[in-house]
Amino acid sequence: MASISFTINEKPARVDAEADTPLLWVVREQLKLTGTKFGCGSGLCGACTVHVDGKPVRSCQTSISQVQDRKVTTIEGLSPDGQHPLQKAWVTEQVPQCGYCQSGQIMQAAALLATNKQPTREQIVEHMDGNICRCGTYPRIVRAIERAAGGRS
Amino acid sequence: MNMIDKKLVDKTMRNQSGLTRRQMLAGSAGLTFAFAFAPAMDALAQAAGGKLNAYVTIAADGAITILMPAPEMGQGVNTTLPLIIAEELDADWSKVKVAQAPVNPAYNHPVFRAQYQVASLTTRGYWMPLRTAGAQARRVLLDAAAAKWSVPVTELTTEPSTIVHAASNRKMSYGEAASLAQVTDKLPEIKPEQLKPAAQFRLLGKDVPRHDLPDKSSGKLTYASDVQVPGMLYGTIVRAPARGSGPSSFNQDEIKKLPGVVDAVAFDHAIGIVAQSVPQLFAARQKVKATWKEAKGSKIDSSRDLKEYLAAVRDTSKKGVVVRKTGEAEQALAGAAKVISAEFTSPYVYHAQMEPLSCTASVTADGVEVWAGTQWPTKSVEEAAKAAGTTPDKVKFHTLQMGGGYGRRAFVEYVTDAVLLSKAVGKPVKMVQSREDDIRVGRFRPMTAQKVDVGLDAEGKVVAWRHRLAAEPVAPYVYSQARLESDKGIDLIVIYGADMPFYDVPAHVTEHLYEDRGARVAAYRGIGAGYTNLANEAMIDEVALATGKDPLEFRLALLKDPRAKAIVSRVAEMSEWKRKQTDGRALGIAFSKLGLPPVGFSMIATVAEISADRASGKIKVHNMWSVADVGLPLQPNNVAAQIEGALIYGLSGALKEAISIKDGAVEQSNFHDYEVLRQSDIPQIQVEVVRSGDIPLPVGELAIGCTAPAVANAFMALTGKKLRDMPFSPDTVKAALKA
């Protein structure tokens, strides 16, 4: 058992867990932030994407010990009120269908726009390729990212 | 599909009218309602200021709550259905909040007589009942205003959420009218002709933003796997590789000693584990060593079985169940000047819904509380009661949204599992399943082999069409063996889509050769159309090629339905079909449809533009154009989203997906070996939604059936070679190029 201190959505947190506990389950079941989803447990689908120090990671592949003293951001912390430009664009473009993959999609996209304000379509597709959507919202995801980046009126 | 009683469908679809409570309780007109809560409604209407009927509550301040009778799996019905009510109610949509209806026969789908969401029939099925419910609630308000103003109700009109008496220049808000409303024993009778003509729709036919999308974009929506209950433990179920098997033994003592494990039990059908956290649960699950009872499915070898399926469809002395027959196809084939034949295969495919199956249950002395995303709330309640050893009235059921359905969540054994786990430990349990388990014991679209023989006369006209299909039936596992047998053994799910009502095929027979391998199967988005339409639409192109005709022209000549011809022509226009293809690309076209004779058919025509790398065998789909005729599109942008989504789902199955089973065990385990379409794989997609009438027709599965044939037909145009075996993987493509 280890005691891990970190910041989550700008608030301090401390959890007691085995050092190799996936961050995903700490976030979901200990901290009760269930916006981050479990999809595959193997880093293959992207549903569990969060930010650690602003960088997108698959929380199912990140152990809790790896976030000691780091800043973790989940979908709940992306904006206080769902008003991040991506979230607004997601609603304008009516992106989600079942919605289950969308937290991961948005977190992955947010990390892109944080470092590349005007991504090309090719850059968007390459960056987002690790996030699976079974409902087929891929085209709308791209349009929403372009909209949030200011590329669409 | 087998549950559809044609007479009931005709009656409920065309002739919805208000019934008195007594009539409803007596089950008149062949409809059975159990208004268990009805006696309380009068008191509620007065005390709570406005429960007007089973669907609509209006508070004094004008806030409107509309209940959603059906589940939601992402297709947007939980905005569309309340919108139907709001249209007839003439509600200010900005004042409407949507809440989930309880599991109660009052909210049954009129065709299925249960709260059951399959066959893309939710909107179509609830269309008339919800219009009536909205109009009824409006009538209750009008009666209240008429009484208050002492005017005839016929002099009143409405504007959004407002009652107007033009003659005396008076207005009353819905809130005020609701608090005056007398909800009596007799609900106002609304005849179909009193409903709004479609030309007057204010809300329907344009898009309103789906009300659940902000929550889905901010991580706020609670799925079954997100539920948090005080004192909750985590459970999982380990099933045998083969259906119908159960554990003979397992290392129970070892598992129980593992960190965090609360209990490990052997049920008849599976091993259950309960632990204090998910990581501890999954770690324990990994250590399970079990022996399993022999079952038929223990011998499945999908590769070997498929050869046997092919042998069966080739051997015309093997008779199957004749599903549909027009004319005398066998005879016409025997007398045909030329017969063109082709064989098609498709593997088992997995729904791959993004949320692995999950359910939370809490069994107590009083009953059981259940939280589940499910396509069959009614059955879920029944099964939960059985598993808890109680009765349905003691089940408190929360219908949550699903993280993907596609037919998988119409099979509710995961609800039973959660209840059994909770019962075993006497605590609330959230049942979660690893992705590996979700795949390994998934219920799949059955593997198929098909043979189509088309007879032509001397002029090259189609005179006969014989379609033989070998596959494990799905219907018994969805409904029951008894029901299948009572329907003359016809499994409408497996053979769905093989019919060709819009083509001029004078003699047509479809025959299902039943295989019984013991596989786990289920209805899967598009059901049979995912492979039967490949067979039919690829054959149309093959016949066109054999008779020297352009596939578009040949198809238009063979089609006899004007709606079908119109969308095929339009998609040809959109895709510039006649433009000469260069750059190693080619176009392929396919038509598909969705529905049943009593409810009507929606239709779609799709063109795919592809190129193929001959060295690697990789197909690239550059563009897809689709024209979808859905009758009355209630939310056109949402319809387009469903078409796009189904094109991608269908394309994924056509190009990438395959489950293989060896020695009775599924060989795939996660998304590295069960590959699905990703962002970089998708074509540019253009969808046109066509309105052709005043009734909304089925949408959700419509685009599935046209994807594989559009690609196969494009491949044949590009290379002259034939893609007949799904998925059209690089190996399959290379084999086709060599043939």
Side-chain angles (χ1 to χ4, degrees), chain B residues 613-626:
Chain B
D613 183 316
R614 286 164 190 262
S616 67
K618 208 161 182 295
I619 288 177
K620 174 81 184 156
V621 185
H622 300 276
N623 287 289
M624 278 182 124
W625 299 263
S626 283

PDB file of all heavy atoms in Angstrom, chain B residues 613-626:
ATOM      1  N   ASP B 613      -4.784  -1.333 -52.962  1.00  0.00           N
ATOM      2  CA  ASP B 613      -3.351  -1.560 -53.146  1.00  0.00           C
ATOM      3  C   ASP B 613      -3.170  -3.061 -53.374  1.00  0.00           C
ATOM      4  O   ASP B 613      -3.368  -3.874 -52.478  1.00  0.00           O
ATOM      5  CB  ASP B 613      -2.613  -1.103 -51.878  1.00  0.00           C
ATOM      6  CG  ASP B 613      -1.108  -1.244 -52.005  1.00  0.00           C
ATOM      7  OD1 ASP B 613      -0.646  -2.299 -52.506  1.00  0.00           O
ATOM      8  OD2 ASP B 613      -0.391  -0.317 -51.617  1.00  0.00           O
ATOM      9  N   ARG B 614      -2.798  -3.420 -54.606  1.00  0.00           N
ATOM     10  CA  ARG B 614      -2.746  -4.845 -54.950  1.00  0.00           C
ATOM     11  C   ARG B 614      -1.656  -5.589 -54.193  1.00  0.00           C
ATOM     12  O   ARG B 614      -1.771  -6.778 -53.941  1.00  0.00           O
ATOM     13  CB  ARG B 614      -2.548  -5.014 -56.455  1.00  0.00           C
ATOM     14  CG  ARG B 614      -3.803  -4.692 -57.227  1.00  0.00           C
ATOM     15  CD  ARG B 614      -3.549  -4.471 -58.713  1.00  0.00           C
ATOM     16  NE  ARG B 614      -4.722  -3.944 -59.377  1.00  0.00           N
ATOM     17  CZ  ARG B 614      -5.605  -4.707 -60.079  1.00  0.00           C
ATOM     18  NH1 ARG B 614      -5.414  -5.992 -60.188  1.00  0.00           N
ATOM     19  NH2 ARG B 614      -6.657  -4.137 -60.640  1.00  0.00           N
ATOM     20  N   ALA B 615      -0.593  -4.893 -53.856  1.00  0.00           N
ATOM     21  CA  ALA B 615       0.504  -5.566 -53.142  1.00  0.00           C
ATOM     22  C   ALA B 615       0.104  -5.907 -51.717  1.00  0.00           C
ATOM     23  O   ALA B 615       0.317  -7.020 -51.242  1.00  0.00           O
ATOM     24  CB  ALA B 615       1.741  -4.683 -53.150  1.00  0.00           C
ATOM     25  N   SER B 616      -0.488  -4.937 -51.036  1.00  0.00           N
ATOM     26  CA  SER B 616      -0.828  -5.173 -49.632  1.00  0.00           C
ATOM     27  C   SER B 616      -2.228  -5.736 -49.461  1.00  0.00           C
ATOM     28  O   SER B 616      -2.555  -6.306 -48.425  1.00  0.00           O
ATOM     29  CB  SER B 616      -0.737  -3.863 -48.838  1.00  0.00           C
ATOM     30  OG  SER B 616      -1.759  -2.964 -49.274  1.00  0.00           O
ATOM     31  N   GLY B 617      -3.071  -5.561 -50.485  1.00  0.00           N
ATOM     32  CA  GLY B 617      -4.466  -6.003 -50.375  1.00  0.00           C
ATOM     33  C   GLY B 617      -5.332  -5.032 -49.589  1.00  0.00           C
ATOM     34  O   GLY B 617      -6.475  -5.323 -49.260  1.00  0.00           O
ATOM     35  N   LYS B 618      -4.788  -3.857 -49.292  1.00  0.00           N
ATOM     36  CA  LYS B 618      -5.548  -2.920 -48.485  1.00  0.00           C
ATOM     37  C   LYS B 618      -6.504  -2.104 -49.369  1.00  0.00           C
ATOM     38  O   LYS B 618      -6.110  -1.511 -50.368  1.00  0.00           O
ATOM     39  CB  LYS B 618      -4.596  -1.972 -47.756  1.00  0.00           C
ATOM     40  CG  LYS B 618      -5.181  -1.452 -46.459  1.00  0.00           C
ATOM     41  CD  LYS B 618      -4.138  -0.896 -45.496  1.00  0.00           C
ATOM     42  CE  LYS B 618      -4.787  -0.435 -44.202  1.00  0.00           C
ATOM     43  NZ  LYS B 618      -5.725   0.709 -44.374  1.00  0.00           N
ATOM     44  N   ILE B 619      -7.760  -2.082 -48.973  1.00  0.00           N
ATOM     45  CA  ILE B 619      -8.758  -1.260 -49.652  1.00  0.00           C
ATOM     46  C   ILE B 619      -8.828   0.075 -48.939  1.00  0.00           C
ATOM     47  O   ILE B 619      -8.855   0.125 -47.702  1.00  0.00           O
ATOM     48  CB  ILE B 619     -10.145  -1.932 -49.600  1.00  0.00           C
ATOM     49  CG1 ILE B 619     -10.189  -3.138 -50.531  1.00  0.00           C
ATOM     50  CG2 ILE B 619     -11.252  -0.942 -49.978  1.00  0.00           C
ATOM     51  CD1 ILE B 619     -11.501  -3.895 -50.472  1.00  0.00           C
ATOM     52  N   LYS B 620      -8.870   1.143 -49.709  1.00  0.00           N
ATOM     53  CA  LYS B 620      -9.087   2.469 -49.136  1.00  0.00           C
ATOM     54  C   LYS B 620     -10.428   2.969 -49.659  1.00  0.00           C
ATOM     55  O   LYS B 620     -10.645   3.024 -50.870  1.00  0.00           O
ATOM     56  CB  LYS B 620      -7.952   3.416 -49.568  1.00  0.00           C
ATOM     57  CG  LYS B 620      -8.137   4.860 -49.161  1.00  0.00           C
ATOM     58  CD  LYS B 620      -7.733   5.125 -47.726  1.00  0.00           C
ATOM     59  CE  LYS B 620      -8.021   6.574 -47.340  1.00  0.00           C
ATOM     60  NZ  LYS B 620      -8.188   6.719 -45.879  1.00  0.00           N
ATOM     61  N   VAL B 621     -11.316   3.278 -48.734  1.00  0.00           N
ATOM     62  CA  VAL B 621     -12.594   3.860 -49.133  1.00  0.00           C
ATOM     63  C   VAL B 621     -12.448   5.371 -49.040  1.00  0.00           C
ATOM     64  O   VAL B 621     -12.285   5.910 -47.947  1.00  0.00           O
ATOM     65  CB  VAL B 621     -13.748   3.361 -48.237  1.00  0.00           C
ATOM     66  CG1 VAL B 621     -15.093   3.873 -48.749  1.00  0.00           C
ATOM     67  CG2 VAL B 621     -13.751   1.838 -48.175  1.00  0.00           C
ATOM     68  N   HIS B 622     -12.489   6.032 -50.169  1.00  0.00           N
ATOM     69  CA  HIS B 622     -12.234   7.475 -50.184  1.00  0.00           C
ATOM     70  C   HIS B 622     -13.493   8.269 -49.874  1.00  0.00           C
ATOM     71  O   HIS B 622     -13.461   9.227 -49.126  1.00  0.00           O
ATOM     72  CB  HIS B 622     -11.679   7.906 -51.546  1.00  0.00           C
ATOM     73  CG  HIS B 622     -10.400   7.241 -51.891  1.00  0.00           C
ATOM     74  ND1 HIS B 622      -9.188   7.715 -51.455  1.00  0.00           N
ATOM     75  CD2 HIS B 622     -10.142   6.119 -52.605  1.00  0.00           C
ATOM     76  CE1 HIS B 622      -8.219   6.917 -51.899  1.00  0.00           C
ATOM     77  NE2 HIS B 622      -8.773   5.947 -52.591  1.00  0.00           N
ATOM     78  N   ASN B 623     -14.578   7.882 -50.500  1.00  0.00           N
ATOM     79  CA  ASN B 623     -15.840   8.612 -50.356  1.00  0.00           C
ATOM     80  C   ASN B 623     -17.005   7.656 -50.269  1.00  0.00           C
ATOM     81  O   ASN B 623     -16.960   6.571 -50.867  1.00  0.00           O
ATOM     82  CB  ASN B 623     -16.072   9.525 -51.563  1.00  0.00           C
ATOM     83  CG  ASN B 623     -15.162  10.735 -51.573  1.00  0.00           C
ATOM     84  OD1 ASN B 623     -15.304  11.647 -50.765  1.00  0.00           O
ATOM     85  ND2 ASN B 623     -14.199  10.723 -52.475  1.00  0.00           N
ATOM     86  N   MET B 624     -18.018   8.095 -49.541  1.00  0.00           N
ATOM     87  CA  MET B 624     -19.313   7.407 -49.596  1.00  0.00           C
ATOM     88  C   MET B 624     -20.396   8.468 -49.678  1.00  0.00           C
ATOM     89  O   MET B 624     -20.352   9.466 -48.964  1.00  0.00           O
ATOM     90  CB  MET B 624     -19.530   6.540 -48.353  1.00  0.00           C
ATOM     91  CG  MET B 624     -18.867   5.196 -48.436  1.00  0.00           C
ATOM     92  SD  MET B 624     -19.198   4.181 -46.977  1.00  0.00           S
ATOM     93  CE  MET B 624     -19.896   2.735 -47.741  1.00  0.00           C
ATOM     94  N   TRP B 625     -21.329   8.210 -50.564  1.00  0.00           N
ATOM     95  CA  TRP B 625     -22.491   9.079 -50.681  1.00  0.00           C
ATOM     96  C   TRP B 625     -23.712   8.219 -50.387  1.00  0.00           C
ATOM     97  O   TRP B 625     -23.808   7.094 -50.906  1.00  0.00           O
ATOM     98  CB  TRP B 625     -22.625   9.631 -52.095  1.00  0.00           C
ATOM     99  CG  TRP B 625     -21.493  10.466 -52.586  1.00  0.00           C
ATOM    100  CD1 TRP B 625     -21.416  11.827 -52.588  1.00  0.00           C
ATOM    101  CD2 TRP B 625     -20.281  10.010 -53.211  1.00  0.00           C
ATOM    102  NE1 TRP B 625     -20.231  12.247 -53.160  1.00  0.00           N
ATOM    103  CE2 TRP B 625     -19.509  11.156 -53.549  1.00  0.00           C
ATOM    104  CE3 TRP B 625     -19.749   8.739 -53.532  1.00  0.00           C
ATOM    105  CZ2 TRP B 625     -18.261  11.083 -54.180  1.00  0.00           C
ATOM    106  CZ3 TRP B 625     -18.508   8.652 -54.145  1.00  0.00           C
ATOM    107  CH2 TRP B 625     -17.773   9.818 -54.467  1.00  0.00           C
ATOM    108  N   SER B 626     -24.623   8.746 -49.618  1.00  0.00           N
ATOM    109  CA  SER B 626     -25.852   8.004 -49.334  1.00  0.00           C
ATOM    110  C   SER B 626     -27.056   8.911 -49.429  1.00  0.00           C
ATOM    111  O   SER B 626     -27.007  10.047 -48.971  1.00  0.00           O
ATOM    112  CB  SER B 626     -25.833   7.417 -47.917  1.00  0.00           C
ATOM    113  OG  SER B 626     -25.024   6.274 -47.844  1.00  0.00           O
TER     114      SER B 626
END
